[in-house]
Amino acid sequence: MTKDMLDPNYYDMDLPSYEGDEPYIFISYSHADTPKVREILKRVDKEKFRFWYDDTMEIGEDFRRELQTRIESCHAFLLFISPASMQSKYCGMEIITAFKNNKRIFPVYLDDNTEIPGALKMILENLQHVKGAAIDKDPRYIDKLIASLPPETMRSLAIEGDVLVRCKDGSSTLSIPDGVRVIGQSAFKNCEKLERLDIGSSVEALMTEACRGCKRLANLVLPKNVRSVGESAFRDCTSLTSLVVENDEIELGERAFENCAKLENVQLADGISEIYGGVFNSCKALTSIRLPENLTVLGESSFADCVSLGEIDIPAEVTKIDDLVFNGCLSLSRVDMKDKITKIGKYTFKDCKNLEAVHLPRSVNSIGIGPFRGCTKLKEIEVDPKSRYFKSVENVLFNKNKSVLVAFAPRQPISAYTIPDSVTSISAWAFCNCHNLEQIIIPDSVIEIGEGAFYQCEALRSLTIPESVDRIDDTAFRGCINLESVTIPDSVVDFGWGIFNGCDKIHVVCSNNSAAAKYCDKKNIPHHEA
């Protein structure tokens, strides 16, 4: 016995010994090895594992009976092997009891030269072990030990005050204890075994990425006490099928449920007034949703890439449909917009490939670029005749005085179209995907041709740019695979990028010394004078 061993603090582990009913690790060690064991268990404790150890002296019949009960109840048996533990009859009894109860044994050798007694060799000699004696020199050994311990023995929740700051992956079902007000940032992030989470009655807020990547979480109820859900809080919960939100005044952060790919059933409280950007982005199983009655704003990309969403009724109080809200909703065939909407953002219905008809209420006073870009089945664009801001003429959308051509319904069964001479601006993506148009006549009133204006007009064969135009914007004719001739006057001096990309048949008609000729030479585009 050394002098240090006479110090009563020598045997003090000074670590929590678990007393509950959840899965835990039984610690088997000799009290003579307490300092070495303590240093290793500090790291095990830091990683939130639950473990039980005995720090009493090895005496008495009652002691052995308690040990047996603890071993029978444990989920893992962590054994510290040293000359002292191998000579201890109590450690020997613990090992034999663990073996008889089919407990998984995790040996840690505190001394590489320890001789195993004959009675224990059969149990221990074939078990993979960790070199505890080398942990101080090489931290990889403690990492190996931590990685091998069963995750179900981790302490699930770490709580500081009223904030739940961390959960380690280990439990399939969890209930938030009373008194927790906030579920902290990334607290449950990537807890891939978590299938059910009971939020409880005291939680008011879930912070950024609080439950992101909980891939087995199947159903979720956000009770009335929850007032805010942070950005990406449940993003990538790919098994989530149903969601109930009970608080009328809840704030759902951006991308809160993005990529919940199996989400089918959503019930939102009627009092919710705003759905922020990307909240339901890429919820690919969502076929329909009843939006809250008091909703006023649909945020950017809020339902983007909801590829199964078939129809949507916009509530009567909505005033703004922001950019890209229904972008990529491939199945969307019907949209009902009410008479308080003032803004439709850019690319709002981009690539809604089953949308055939749109009716714009008279309240709309602002429409962003390319609202129907990629809507290849769109045949009808109607505007309320009482609108003071827009009008539709034979399914072509203009501003009220027809100076701006906003969008041409691409599935119209006509092969030629003459742009009215009131038009001064052809908006970006105005004629994109008009696969039937073979001829478009542009009047000399037009001074602006927007980005992608004739993108993928695959039947278009020739076009003449009037002298009133001085710039052709980016990708204006990209993908016009049958375009053979474009006449460009000397007035055009500014050329965007990718104007004729994919136009393999193109010949440009222009003056030899014009800016158009120089552009064609630079891009290896054939050109000639008229």
Side-chain angles (χ1 to χ4, degrees), residues 57-76:
M57 298 306 294
E58 301 169 349
I59 55 174
E61 183 70 22
D62 289 342
F63 169 78
R64 289 196 293 271
R65 212 176 289 128
E66 181 184 8
L67 279 180
Q68 181 172 341
T69 300
R70 291 289 182 180
I71 294 170
E72 289 172 349
S73 301
C74 77
H75 276 60

Side-chain angles (χ1 to χ4, degrees), residues 246-415:
E246 297 180 348
N247 191 330
D248 284 323
E249 299 180 356
I250 196 169
E251 182 176 312
L252 297 175
E254 293 186 5
R255 305 184 183 277
F257 300 96
E258 182 176 66
N259 197 35
C260 292
K262 293 184 180 179
L263 186 60
E264 296 178 321
N265 182 20
V266 177
Q267 298 178 44
L268 301 176
D270 276 334
I272 294 174
S273 61
E274 295 187 16
I275 294 180
Y276 290 175
V279 168
F280 295 104
N281 190 356
S282 297
C283 291
K284 298 183 184 299
L286 192 64
T287 57
S288 64
I289 183 171
R290 179 183 174 275
L291 296 175
E293 291 181 1
N294 291 332
L295 191 69
T296 60
V297 175
L298 280 168
E300 181 176 339
S301 301
S302 50
F303 291 94
D305 293 320
C306 290
V307 296
S308 300
L309 188 64
E311 56 183 35
I312 195 82
D313 289 315
I314 309 297
E317 299 300 314
V318 170
T319 59
K320 183 171 72 169
I321 304 175
D322 221 331
D323 301 344
L324 296 157
V325 167
F326 299 107
N327 170 38
C329 292
L330 304 180
S331 301
L332 190 65
S333 60
R334 186 184 69 83
V335 178
D336 181 19
M337 290 182 277
K338 307 301 193 297
D339 217 15
K340 284 191 178 181
I341 295 171
T342 59
K343 175 187 176 181
I344 295 175
K346 65 182 180 182
Y347 306 131
T348 296
F349 299 99
K350 181 175 178 284
D351 292 332
C352 292
K353 296 186 182 298
N354 275 293
L355 190 62
E356 296 185 5
V358 173
H359 177 81
L360 300 177
R362 62 181 178 178
S363 54
V364 175
N365 59 37
S366 173
I367 298 177
I369 64 171
F372 310 115
R373 177 183 172 184
C375 295
T376 53
K377 289 187 178 180
L378 188 63
K379 295 184 290 187
E380 299 177 13
I381 302 176
E382 296 181 352
V383 179
D384 190 311
K386 296 181 180 179
S387 172
R388 295 186 293 122
Y389 307 100
F390 296 96
K391 71 186 306 179
S392 175
V393 180
E394 296 179 341
N395 299 306
V396 183
L397 179 63
F398 299 91
N399 66 342
K400 189 63 175 179
N401 65 8
K402 292 178 65 176
S403 62
V404 179
L405 193 158
V406 179
F408 185 100
R411 201 59 180 265
Q412 294 188 68
I414 59 175
S415 60

Side-chain angles (χ1 to χ4, degrees), residues 130-335:
V130 170
K131 295 181 179 180
I135 283 176
D136 290 339
K137 298 176 181 178
D138 190 342
R140 288 179 300 177
Y141 288 110
I142 188 67
D143 292 338
K144 180 180 178 182
L145 172 63
I146 294 298
S148 68
L149 295 176
E152 64 268 21
T153 61
M154 291 180 176
R155 297 200 304 277
S156 297
L157 307 178
I159 299 171
E160 297 177 2
D162 61 359
V163 179
L164 193 158
V165 296
R166 192 180 184 194
C167 171
K168 296 292 286 188
D169 189 5
S171 300
S172 61
T173 301
L174 282 172
S175 297
I176 307 302
D178 288 342
V180 171
R181 189 180 60 84
V182 176
I183 297 178
Q185 181 172 338
S186 302
F188 290 90
K189 186 175 181 179
N190 295 328
C191 288
E192 295 185 1
K193 292 188 177 182
L194 184 62
E195 297 176 10
R196 179 180 174 184
L197 180 64
D198 180 1
I199 299 295
S201 60
S202 60
V203 173
E204 297 178 9
L206 292 92
M207 307 305 288
T208 300
E209 297 190 337
C211 299
R212 181 175 181 177
C214 293
K215 294 182 178 180
R216 294 189 182 183
L217 189 64
N219 303 292
L220 180 66
V221 176
L222 296 175
K224 288 185 178 181
N225 44 282
V226 177
R227 298 164 58 183
S228 67
V229 175
E231 182 177 342
S232 300
F234 293 92
R235 185 176 178 179
D236 302 326
C237 292
T238 51
S239 293
L240 189 67
T241 59
S242 70
L243 167 67
V244 177
V245 180
E246 297 180 348
N247 191 330
D248 284 323
E249 299 180 356
I250 196 169
E251 182 176 312
L252 297 175
E254 293 186 5
R255 305 184 183 277
F257 300 96
E258 182 176 66
N259 197 35
C260 292
K262 293 184 180 179
L263 186 60
E264 296 178 321
N265 182 20
V266 177
Q267 298 178 44
L268 301 176
D270 276 334
I272 294 174
S273 61
E274 295 187 16
I275 294 180
Y276 290 175
V279 168
F280 295 104
N281 190 356
S282 297
C283 291
K284 298 183 184 299
L286 192 64
T287 57
S288 64
I289 183 171
R290 179 183 174 275
L291 296 175
E293 291 181 1
N294 291 332
L295 191 69
T296 60
V297 175
L298 280 168
E300 181 176 339
S301 301
S302 50
F303 291 94
D305 293 320
C306 290
V307 296
S308 300
L309 188 64
E311 56 183 35
I312 195 82
D313 289 315
I314 309 297
E317 299 300 314
V318 170
T319 59
K320 183 171 72 169
I321 304 175
D322 221 331
D323 301 344
L324 296 157
V325 167
F326 299 107
N327 170 38
C329 292
L330 304 180
S331 301
L332 190 65
S333 60
R334 186 184 69 83
V335 178

